[in-house]
Amino acid sequence: MSLTAGIVGLPNVGKSTLFNAITKKHILAENYPFATIEPNIGVVVVPDERIDKLNEIYHPDRLIHTTYEFTDIAGLVKGASLGEGLGNKFLSHIRETDAICEVVRCFNDGKIIHVDGEVDPIRDIETINLELAIADLDIVNNRLEKIRKKAKTTKDKNDLLEVELLERAKTALEKNIPLRLVNYTKEEKELLKSYSFLTIKPIIYLANVSENEISEENNFVLKVKEYVSRENAPVVTLCAKVEEELSELPEEEQHDFLECLGIEASGLDKLIKVTYDLLGLATYFTVGKDEVRAWTFKKGMNAKKCAGIIHTDFEKGFIKAEVMSYEDLIKYGNETKVKEAGKSRLEGKDYLVKDGDICYFRFNN
């Protein structure tokens, strides 16, 4: 499973510059609204020193990291859901993503225009979030109009449940309450998946600061953190310009560059860590001479489900999983010694896979 995120924000907040940096794809990033017309999709490798260590042990023909896919859409403006600017049609491109990354401008620069005349990150957040809520409300209203009539006629239990659920969603959205802050039963959560609502997705705020403020939290960032704390949403502070400069450097020079700036990790690395934590994701590995590969899974998934991430046949014909931990492999040096130490084991379908597990799945064809 590849991790996916949609990048949203007002025009000229640094969305496209950040996208250029994290994907090393040089898309148009100009100083005027709507420089991005069509959605841009880029894939970045998720850094993980463990897979590099496994590469040194196995020397495989192929080394495959997990990936993080970003979709950058045109900058939204107030009234986008009603057709202002480029309208909200581009929001459809991020409805299938796992999370939303909202870029918020947290720097002053007279050379870079702001669509509302001055920098105010809280106003910008409210503008974007309102447009996302209105876009979801449009879907709710359209569906309610159809399902109400059907439920009234059929009295079907599932139809009535859907009506009740959508009514609750409508009430929340009309109050500009994102759907992720509403409590649902397990059955309701399953039903909601079919709608791909934007405001139900986990959200990460990316506070874009200037180069000379990257190692500290300016007043804009502090205001953002205080504002979004009401929904316990994470904030990642970064400088899109620095990220772009960093992406141009050879890997061996990047650490020194960050050290000179007084920061320990790039904005991308921080974003990936926060996203994994927010979504409850982890990584297991498959290893061999042909291939060493990292696989992303949700914490709490059992061995059978994790096998299905590789191929549905692995899940259908699952027999056992031979498992050892990454830590044990590093400690003992090779698989043979891990087995001799009794640290390799066979697990059944209900075994809950752990972050760093190295798995061999046995299955019937």
Side-chain angles (χ1 to χ4, degrees), residues 100-106 121-122 125 129 202-209 216-238 266-267 269-275 277-278:
I100 288 178
C101 297
E102 184 170 328
V103 182
V104 185
R105 179 170 168 176
C106 291
I122 305 307
I125 289 173
N129 290 356
I203 190 166
I204 302 165
Y205 293 93
L206 305 181
N208 186 19
V209 300
E216 57 189 50
E217 293 184 335
N218 64 29
N219 288 332
F220 288 142
V221 175
L222 293 174
K223 287 180 181 180
V224 169
K225 287 190 172 183
E226 181 183 3
Y227 184 80
V228 305
S229 64
R230 66 189 68 185
E231 63 168 297
N232 201 30
V235 178
V236 174
T237 303
L238 50 76
S266 69
D269 286 350
K270 290 190 289 185
L271 172 57
I272 290 173
K273 184 180 186 305
V274 167
T275 306
D277 290 342
L278 184 65

Side-chain angles (χ1 to χ4, degrees), residues 47 56 100 117 172 183 207 241 289 307 318 339:
E56 293 174 8
I100 288 178
N183 292 322
K241 187 176 180 182
K289 291 184 178 179
F318 181 89
K339 291 178 180 178

Side-chain angles (χ1 to χ4, degrees), residues 144-155:
L144 266 176
E145 186 178 348
K146 299 175 182 177
I147 196 64
R148 273 199 193 114
K149 294 178 181 178
K150 182 182 177 184
K152 189 174 181 180
T153 303
T154 64
K155 304 296 182 183

Side-chain angles (χ1 to χ4, degrees), residues 24 28 39 70 107 161 189 201 211 269 302 319 355 359:
K24 297 184 181 179
L28 183 63
F70 292 91
F107 65 91
L161 173 64
K189 287 179 181 178
K201 299 181 185 298
E211 287 179 276
D269 286 350
N302 62 33
I319 301 174
D355 183 57
C359 302

Side-chain angles (χ1 to χ4, degrees), residues 159-296:
D159 291 341
L160 292 170
L161 173 64
E162 186 176 0
V163 169
E164 191 275 332
L165 180 58
L166 291 177
E167 291 283 9
R168 286 171 55 207
K170 178 180 171 70
T171 299
L173 291 168
E174 287 178 340
K175 295 178 180 178
N176 198 19
I177 298 173
L179 297 181
R180 62 182 168 273
L181 298 184
V182 180
N183 292 322
Y184 309 101
T185 64
K186 186 176 180 179
E187 185 179 11
E188 288 173 337
K189 287 179 181 178
E190 285 299 315
L191 183 58
L192 285 169
K193 285 181 181 179
S194 62
Y195 294 101
S196 299
F197 287 127
L198 294 167
T199 65
I200 204 168
K201 299 181 185 298
I203 190 166
I204 302 165
Y205 293 93
L206 305 181
N208 186 19
V209 300
S210 61
E211 287 179 276
N212 59 357
E213 294 179 310
I214 193 170
S215 61
E216 57 189 50
E217 293 184 335
N218 64 29
N219 288 332
F220 288 142
V221 175
L222 293 174
K223 287 180 181 180
V224 169
K225 287 190 172 183
E226 181 183 3
Y227 184 80
V228 305
S229 64
R230 66 189 68 185
E231 63 168 297
N232 201 30
V235 178
V236 174
T237 303
L238 50 76
C239 174
K241 187 176 180 182
V242 166
E243 294 295 316
E244 191 167 40
E245 291 174 5
L246 187 65
S247 71
E248 299 297 329
L249 294 175
E251 191 172 339
E252 58 272 15
E253 295 180 20
Q254 293 181 8
H255 177 73
D256 292 339
F257 181 68
L258 292 174
E259 199 172 66
C260 289
L261 293 171
I263 53 178
E264 295 181 357
S266 69
L268 174 59
D269 286 350
K270 290 190 289 185
L271 172 57
I272 290 173
K273 184 180 186 305
V274 167
T275 306
Y276 268 63
D277 290 342
L278 184 65
L279 298 178
L281 300 177
T283 304
Y284 76 83
F285 304 95
T286 52
V287 296
K289 291 184 178 179
D290 292 337
E291 177 184 281
V292 167
R293 183 164 183 166
W295 302 86
T296 301

